[in-house]
Amino acid sequence: MRRTRGFHVLGAAAVAAACLLAGAAPAGSSPSPTTVVRSLVEEIRAVLDEPALRGPEQAEAREGKIRGLIAARFALGAMAAEALGEHLAVRTETERQEFTQLFGDLFTWAYTRLVVSFLAEA
């Protein structure tokens, strides 16, 4: 049951990621969203398998590297703006920057946990 739930959660995250990435470039000019997500998961698996990053003492370094991979794949600024919606216009530039930073941190942390948990179950 737990493994099935993990697949559903990762599947939902992949669909969300695909939707966010789908509008990033004109059709035919870049890899499909599914390919991008699959590639990201493979890169994360490589980080998890990297001997120098194994063990509990390397958890922070390992997760930092994974968060960097995730942050590079997602338009976190656009995602944060979309999350704020109509409320974006009434925020100061400082508030927008702070929200974007916090949103990016939360998203990359949550997505890291999700993918690492999924790969541990797979």
Side-chain angles (χ1 to χ4, degrees):
M1 176 72 178
R2 181 175 162 93
R3 186 171 185 183
T4 302
R5 181 173 172 231
F7 280 110
H8 289 202
V9 172
L10 186 61
V15 168
C19 291
L20 291 168
L21 294 170
S29 67
S30 63
S32 72
T34 302
T35 301
V36 172
V37 171
R38 186 173 290 141
S39 171
L40 175 60
V41 170
E42 289 171 6
E43 287 183 43
I44 291 170
R45 185 183 305 269
V47 169
L48 294 173
D49 291 341
E50 194 172 316
L53 294 174
R54 287 193 181 164
E57 66 281 354
Q58 294 298 323
E60 190 173 323
R62 184 175 53 248
E63 289 189 10
K65 192 167 184 176
I66 293 169
R67 280 193 301 273
L69 292 171
I70 292 168
R73 290 294 199 308
F74 293 92
L76 297 173
M79 291 168 61
E82 188 69 25
L84 275 179
E86 65 187 40
H87 304 287
L88 179 67
V90 297
R91 299 288 146 226
T92 66
E93 182 59 30
T94 301
E95 289 173 323
R96 281 185 235 142
Q97 289 175 357
E98 182 181 8
F99 179 79
T100 299
Q101 180 65 48
L102 292 170
F103 179 91
D105 290 347
L106 177 62
F107 179 84
T108 56
W109 177 84
Y111 205 79
T112 297
R113 307 291 338 142
L114 175 74
V115 174
V116 168
S117 294
F118 167 76
L119 291 174
E121 291 179 8

